[in-house]
Amino acid sequence: MFSYQADTPGIRVTLSKNDTLVLKALAIFLVVGHNFFHFLPPVAGENEMVFSPEHIRNVLSFVLANPLDMLHPVFSFFGHYGVHIFIFLSAYGLTKKCLSMKDQDWQALYAVSVNKIFKIVKLTLLGLVFLCAYKALVLGDALTGDFFLKYLKFLTFTENLRPGKLYYFVSVWWFLALIVQFYLLFPLIYRLATKASDKLFFAICAGTILISAASYSFLLEHQIYVYATPLGQFSVFALGAYLATGKAVPKVLALALLLLLPFSFAYETLFHVSFVAIVLSAVIAYERFLSQKLSGNALLLWFGQLSMYVYIVHGDLRWMLINRIENIESLFLNYVVFGGFFLEVVFFAYLCSLVAKRVALFR
């Protein structure tokens, strides 16, 4: 069993099971808000896959022009970072699980990864059943062979690596392809986090950031988004594994990332560190200032447990509502519809969770 003597100076993060559930609840709320508001005018834009300095300027100008509508541009620009919190937490939780195992050879580590991949496959199958029912009963759409063929192609979990195919099946499900790829890489990353020296660990993370920055424009020309791939998000996932071991991030590095964070929204050169910077800053801020207040909140804990079902159902539920209000300039209507949409998502996610508990195929 891995043991690490936490005697080096730096910043550590210790998250309980409740903490991870609360963070998942907050993260999925950000993601749902982002995927609703970033299609409604005025469109601020976001630096999720493609950087533009205009996006953060839009956010600031929209907030100053209409403070009562500030949640709209804030969700639009910042909401997608909830996905990166999930990437971090996936590595953190997996590492904690493996640290508690007596056997940590390659076979045991890959067994954990394969088990997680099977759970993702079953989650998508449940999502497919939901989509079929929604399309047939609500939208009145015919279920064609092409629809099911697209699902089978999606199950290769490669759409984030294929040119122009990031949003191939259900647009928001691209994250599932990324996380499956990280599960395949997890045993290697686990060994890196637990066995390698701190210098080597941070050197490799820095190297992946530099390679991502160097390949960003070239891959973009070929319709591949590096920040939807394991290369682009390696540092975020690896950081989750690293901190789960009890190791510390050097204070100088953490402070540097914190200071660079606001500038990373406005300058392309610094954009490439924005993902790991915002995740590290958010997790440290949560543990230092919010953990004691929120880790016992029953509603957040319940919503955190529901988070992956929320993720799997919310993508296609939004389109009918967005299509009806996107040309209506009404601040009040936008938030009322979002509230209804959010409750609808929670309701269907809860139904899916019940099905998953009672039907063996989806457990």
Side-chain angles (χ1 to χ4, degrees):
M1 188 179 299
F2 175 80
S3 177
Y4 180 79
Q5 297 298 320
D7 55 2
T8 56
I11 296 177
R12 294 177 178 83
V13 172
T14 303
L15 301 174
S16 67
K17 179 64 174 179
N18 279 11
D19 287 325
T20 61
L21 287 175
V22 170
L23 281 169
K24 287 178 180 179
L26 298 175
I28 196 62
F29 184 68
L30 285 173
V31 170
V32 172
H34 167 76
N35 285 327
F36 182 85
F37 281 108
H38 82 130
F39 284 104
L40 296 180
V43 176
E46 68 281 333
N47 294 340
E48 181 178 15
M49 305 296 177
V50 180
F51 174 83
S52 172
E54 292 299 321
H55 294 160
I56 190 64
R57 294 172 193 165
N58 289 340
V59 172
L60 296 175
S61 63
F62 293 165
V63 169
L64 290 174
N66 194 351
L68 293 178
D69 194 24
M70 68 178 298
L71 285 180
H72 179 165
V74 167
F75 267 128
S76 179
F77 185 86
F78 292 101
H80 72 86
Y81 290 112
V83 167
H84 305 93
I85 298 294
F86 274 110
I87 294 171
F88 173 91
L89 292 175
S90 294
Y92 191 94
L94 271 181
T95 301
K96 284 291 188 183
K97 178 181 176 66
C98 291
L99 288 174
S100 67
M101 298 186 330
K102 183 177 181 181
D103 190 359
Q104 295 183 21
D105 60 17
W106 289 106
Q107 184 177 355
L109 294 175
Y110 271 109
V112 172
S113 292
V114 170
N115 181 58
K116 294 293 289 185
I117 291 171
F118 275 129
K119 288 184 178 180
I120 292 293
V121 172
K122 288 188 284 188
L123 181 67
T124 67
L125 184 58
L126 179 59
L128 178 70
V129 172
F130 166 76
L131 278 176
C132 289
Y134 181 72
K135 286 178 177 293
L137 300 177
V138 178
L139 302 180
D141 292 347
L143 298 173
T144 64
D146 183 62
F147 172 77
F148 294 102
L149 180 60
K150 282 187 173 182
Y151 172 69
L152 293 177
K153 289 182 178 179
F154 166 80
L155 286 181
T156 64
F157 297 112
T158 58
E159 63 184 61
N160 60 327
L161 305 177
R162 291 184 287 147
K165 300 296 184 182
L166 183 62
Y167 308 117
Y168 180 74
F169 185 55
V170 177
S171 60
V172 302
W173 285 17
W174 69 267
F175 166 73
L176 301 178
L178 174 63
I179 210 65
V180 165
Q181 291 158 15
F182 269 129
Y183 289 155
L184 292 173
L185 294 172
F186 173 72
L188 295 170
I189 296 172
Y190 179 82
R191 288 298 177 90
L192 175 66
T194 57
K195 302 296 185 183
S197 68
D198 291 349
K199 288 183 179 179
L200 178 59
F201 174 85
F202 287 113
I204 291 175
C205 287
T208 62
I209 293 174
L210 290 173
I211 295 171
S212 299
S215 60
Y216 164 73
S217 297
F218 172 79
L219 291 176
L220 190 59
E221 291 175 2
H222 293 80
Q223 295 183 288
I224 296 177
Y225 303 100
V226 69
Y227 292 111
T229 71
L231 173 63
Q233 299 302 333
F234 181 91
S235 59
V236 174
F237 190 86
L239 181 66
Y242 181 85
L243 288 175
T245 67
K247 294 182 179 181
V249 175
K251 290 183 179 180
V252 172
L253 176 60
L255 180 60
L257 289 174
L258 178 62
L259 293 175
L260 290 175
L261 180 58
F263 299 100
S264 71
F265 302 139
Y267 298 98
E268 185 171 342
T269 303
L270 300 177
F271 159 64
H272 306 287
V273 301
S274 62
F275 304 101
V276 69
I278 201 165
V279 167
L280 180 60
S281 301
V283 171
I284 291 174
Y286 168 81
E287 190 201 36
R288 298 295 190 272
F289 305 113
L290 297 176
S291 177
Q292 291 186 347
K293 298 177 181 179
L294 299 181
S295 61
N297 187 291
L299 181 60
L300 286 175
L301 294 175
W302 175 80
F303 191 50
Q305 291 175 328
L306 205 63
S307 59
M308 286 311 294
Y309 299 106
V310 171
Y311 192 88
I312 209 73
V313 306
H314 85 280
D316 277 8
L317 283 179
R318 59 191 163 147
W319 295 123
M320 184 168 64
L321 296 173
I322 288 174
N323 290 338
R324 291 185 176 181
I325 67 170
E326 62 180 345
N327 295 319
I328 302 175
E329 296 183 8
S330 171
L331 182 157
F332 177 75
L333 180 63
N334 286 350
Y335 287 102
V336 169
V337 172
F338 173 70
F341 164 67
F342 182 74
L343 292 176
E344 179 186 27
V345 166
V346 171
F347 173 74
F348 284 117
Y350 179 66
L351 288 184
C352 286
S353 73
L354 293 180
V355 173
K357 291 177 182 177
R358 298 180 183 180
V359 180
L361 177 63
F362 301 123
R363 288 183 197 146

